Amino acid sequence: MIHIPDTILKRKDQREGELQKKHDNQPSQAEVFRETFREKEAEIEVLLASIEKTTDKLDLADMFDRISKSINQLNKYLASSSIFLIAYDIKISKSAIQSLQDRSVELENKYLPRKRFTFKNRRDMKPARDKNTEIDRHVEVEKIVTNPNAFSVSDKTDVTLFIDHEDIKNKDVTLSRLVNCVVFIHGSPNTLHLITLESCRIVSGPVVTSVLVEDSRNGSFAFPCQQLRVHNTKSTDFHIHVTTRAIIEDTSGVRFGPYRYSYDNLDAHYEGSGLDRERNNWDDVDDFNWLVNNKQSPNWTKMPPNDQDSFLEELKPYLKKNKST
Amino acid sequence: MGFQKILKKMKAKEKEMRILILGLDNAGKTTVLKHLNNEDTTTISPTLGFNIKTILYGDYKLNMWDVGGQKSLRSYWKNYFESTDGIVWVVDSVDARRLDDCCRELHFLIEEERLVGASVLILANKADLPGAASLEQIRERLELDRITTHHWKIVRVSAMTGENVVPAISWLVNDISQRIFTF
């Protein structure tokens, strides 16, 4: 038996007592979390507020980087604390983080718009290409030499075009920089790109894979396809059959209706395209600028049936003219 | 007993890799992921948000994150950068018009400080389509030779037919494992 001196035992009791006392006075883990979270949140708020006063681009980029790092840290802190937090705390903290993130993204778009950059670049490129095609005023179709599978029509005003299946079978069709044109594609292309079209009516047979619409205004387009992506487009009607889903981005005032156009070989072309005629999700549109669940995006609407009818009526005179020539 | 369990857990954790699949919209990121997971690739809609799949490859557990590539989602990519071991950059070889956009977005990632040390696999996708650009053309247009800070490799694949996808991923896994698991 080892003899422990009383003084040491006494010291032990005293120490344990102190520890117990400390423990009783200590705030709970959840309280600590709330306190720290609030502090961090305030720090980020300060950073966000100081953005408005910063003008230097490099400084801004640096600040946004710091903000995103802090938000990330906060997220991590919440994740690791979730073991001892009650559901309500987690919910509140989550929405606080979300609102910080939303504001940071909003400010970043406002003060450091990366998207604008893209736009400028593309605009810069265009005139260079325009020079080559400027002389060409014919209603003929140009084919890009570098890609034997591309079929493209560009830089036309006030023309009507009929394109046959043989011309575009399995090809990647691009229609670009057209103004006030009407184009009938009675065939089944592999992909269809509609870029920078102004007041155009475009009708196509089944597109085997995807359709991309960009930078267009005041148009009416009709086609069946697997996927449809619409970017940067305004006031345009879509008459579509889409077997997966259509999406819109940076787009407003667009309307969607089902594809009701038909021509002689449509059935055969449908068959060749492998599209499922039974499945049409024309009214199930994802708006990438409207990520609110269960709320209809203000950027697109369904088209009333009589407007669908009048679109088909509008096409008739062009079709008649084509038959008579 | 408890200690042994922890050791086991740590070991399992060590063999995990975090891989980000990124690229412009319509490049075929989700198709790559679905193909690796043996799922149907014909019913894919443009990705709103992200997909995550854990795939077992040999001894490794790959956590694959496929984040949507639409312009409005690209600003969220940075939220996924932390502790990433590898990047799969998917390119639509047919979409020559947007290769410049593609180049800019890729080099933006390369300069990202949180991605330093990640291996970069570039998939020139849709190689089965007749209009696909050649490997050389893509390498030039994407200015890949400017990348000196990361291990990288470019491979022609078709996620739709599955051609070359698995060998390409195995390069990535090997490259990462040589870097981080040196037993």
Side-chain angles (χ1 to χ4, degrees):
Chain A
M1 186 80 186
I2 303 166
H3 176 75
I4 300 171
D6 277 351
T7 48
I8 287 184
L9 280 175
K10 226 181 183 172
R11 174 73 190 117
K12 181 172 168 273
D13 284 346
Q14 200 186 343
R15 212 173 57 93
E16 277 174 352
E18 271 169 13
L19 264 178
Q20 188 59 42
K21 235 188 194 166
K22 231 185 192 171
H23 191 261
D24 289 344
N25 290 340
Q26 229 171 30
S28 74
Q29 274 177 306
E31 272 162 3
V32 172
F33 169 82
R34 256 173 262 151
E35 193 61 32
T36 324
F37 189 89
R38 232 175 281 140
E39 262 170 40
K40 280 275 165 199
E41 196 185 346
E43 263 173 43
I44 297 171
E45 295 272 3
V46 170
L47 277 175
L48 283 171
S50 59
I51 290 274
E52 314 240 351
K53 292 175 213 126
T54 316
T55 44
D56 188 76
K57 285 256 171 206
L58 272 175
D59 281 351
L60 270 176
D62 201 46
M63 302 256 294
F64 280 120
D65 197 46
R66 266 172 61 197
I67 291 172
S68 106
K69 264 185 195 153
S70 311
I71 292 178
N72 256 335
Q73 268 176 7
L74 203 54
N75 237 330
K76 265 190 192 159
Y77 181 51
L78 173 62
S80 60
S81 308
S82 57
I83 319 166
F84 57 78
L85 288 175
I86 54 171
Y88 177 75
D89 273 341
I90 295 177
K91 206 174 125 194
I92 292 272
S93 312
K94 258 190 187 158
S95 73
I97 292 176
Q98 190 58 45
S99 98
L100 286 174
Q101 198 144 13
D102 288 349
R103 275 175 48 211
S104 151
V105 168
E106 197 181 295
L107 283 170
E108 193 161 358
N109 282 339
K110 193 167 157 198
Y111 292 101
L112 263 189
R114 203 153 56 81
K115 280 179 196 156
R116 287 273 165 72
F117 246 72
T118 334
F119 215 60
K120 255 190 209 155
N121 270 356
R122 207 174 294 145
R123 278 279 149 83
D124 285 350
M125 262 162 52
K126 268 180 200 159
R129 230 191 278 152
D130 277 352
K131 266 177 208 153
N132 298 332
T133 49
E134 211 165 37
I135 325 134
D136 187 355
R137 289 274 170 208
H138 299 264
V139 188
E140 258 174 298
V141 163
E142 307 136 23
K143 290 169 190 172
I144 294 179
V145 201
T146 50
N147 178 357
N149 256 70
F151 177 99
S152 68
V153 181
S154 52
D155 301 290
K156 309 271 180 244
T157 307
D158 297 323
V159 296
T160 304
L161 290 175
F162 287 87
I163 299 167
D164 276 334
H165 186 56
E166 288 312 310
D167 291 331
I168 48 96
K169 188 169 62 179
N170 293 327
K171 288 192 180 172
D172 301 316
V173 175
T174 304
L175 307 180
S176 58
R177 301 190 295 281
L178 305 183
V179 180
N180 209 18
C181 292
V182 184
V183 182
F184 292 89
I185 303 173
H186 285 177
S188 177
N190 183 47
T191 64
L192 177 63
H193 286 197
L194 305 176
I195 316 294
T196 320
L197 305 186
E198 180 107 39
S199 307
C200 290
R201 298 196 186 104
I202 315 285
V203 173
S204 169
V207 182
V208 180
T209 60
S210 68
V211 178
L212 171 66
V213 177
E214 238 176 60
D215 267 331
S216 295
R217 309 267 173 282
N218 307 322
S220 292
F221 307 142
F223 42 74
C225 61
Q226 194 189 71
Q227 265 191 16
L228 165 64
R229 288 169 299 130
V230 182
H231 296 163
N232 234 320
T233 288
K234 284 198 171 63
S235 318
T236 292
D237 286 348
F238 292 88
H239 308 258
I240 55 167
H241 176 154
V242 58
T243 57
T244 61
R245 203 174 267 209
I247 72 121
I248 60 174
E249 184 179 68
D250 301 330
T251 286
S252 60
V254 292
R255 304 192 298 170
F256 288 86
Y259 182 77
R260 289 167 47 200
Y261 182 76
S262 116
Y263 58 92
D264 280 350
N265 291 320
L266 180 65
D267 290 345
H269 293 160
Y270 250 116
E271 196 120 313
S273 72
L275 293 179
D276 183 353
R277 286 189 90 156
E278 299 302 310
R279 202 168 58 210
N280 187 358
N281 301 322
W282 64 271
D283 57 350
D284 195 359
V285 180
D286 277 334
D287 181 354
F288 277 58
N289 304 105
W290 188 257
L291 305 177
V292 188
N293 274 344
N294 309 323
K295 260 194 195 163
Q296 167 69 28
S297 150
N299 298 321
W300 71 274
T301 51
K302 285 186 206 174
M303 200 187 312
N306 48 333
D307 286 354
Q308 298 167 21
D309 295 338
S310 54
F311 168 70
L312 296 173
E313 286 301 319
E314 280 166 26
L315 295 174
K316 275 184 184 157
Y318 298 97
L319 290 163
K320 251 184 218 151
K321 229 191 267 170
N322 183 49
K323 264 194 186 140
S324 61
T325 51
Chain B
M1 183 62 183
F3 186 59
Q4 233 171 11
K5 240 186 204 165
I6 292 169
L7 265 185
K8 239 187 198 166
K9 239 188 193 164
M10 273 172 68
K11 214 169 181 190
K13 230 180 190 168
E14 268 174 359
K15 294 265 186 177
E16 257 180 41
M17 291 179 186
R18 181 182 156 95
I19 294 172
L20 275 184
I21 308 178
L22 298 173
L24 300 190
D25 48 292
N26 202 39
K29 297 173 289 297
T30 307
T31 311
V32 168
L33 186 64
K34 293 235 170 180
H35 173 76
L36 286 172
N37 217 28
N38 283 327
E39 284 177 58
D40 181 17
T41 53
T42 59
T43 56
I44 297 168
S45 301
T47 305
L48 184 76
F50 65 89
N51 299 307
I52 176 171
K53 291 262 153 65
T54 301
I55 291 168
L56 293 175
Y57 180 86
D59 296 337
Y60 302 105
K61 211 163 126 193
L62 313 181
N63 290 322
M64 317 251 330
W65 295 75
D66 153 36
V67 188
Q70 302 293 330
K71 222 191 255 174
S72 50
L73 297 183
R74 289 178 209 161
S75 56
Y76 296 99
W77 284 358
K78 57 175 182 279
N79 300 343
Y80 299 85
F81 287 167
E82 216 68 58
S83 59
T84 292
D85 301 309
I87 299 167
V88 178
W89 182 256
V90 188
V91 183
D92 177 352
S93 309
V94 185
D95 191 359
R97 191 176 63 90
R98 295 200 301 162
L99 277 179
D100 294 335
D101 279 4
C102 184
C103 172
R104 201 190 44 249
E105 295 286 355
L106 173 62
H107 285 279
F108 187 75
L109 289 189
I110 296 295
E111 283 157 24
E112 171 59 45
E113 129 193 30
R114 277 169 290 173
L115 294 175
V116 168
S119 308
V120 181
L121 170 66
I122 296 129
L123 297 181
N125 193 21
K126 309 194 186 181
D128 57 315
L129 297 180
S134 75
L135 209 57
E136 263 317 299
Q137 281 169 327
I138 293 175
R139 188 191 175 119
E140 242 167 62
R141 291 283 299 277
L142 296 187
E143 301 171 17
L144 295 184
D145 294 313
R146 260 171 55 202
I147 306 175
T148 51
T149 46
H150 296 63
H151 286 190
W152 62 271
K153 186 183 175 74
I154 177 166
V155 184
R156 256 172 91 87
V157 302
S158 165
M160 213 58 203
T161 64
E163 187 193 342
N164 253 343
V165 174
V166 174
I169 296 293
S170 81
W171 170 83
L172 183 69
V173 172
N174 283 333
D175 193 72
I176 296 170
S177 69
Q178 276 168 19
R179 191 156 38 75
I180 57 180
F181 310 126
T182 37
F183 300 89

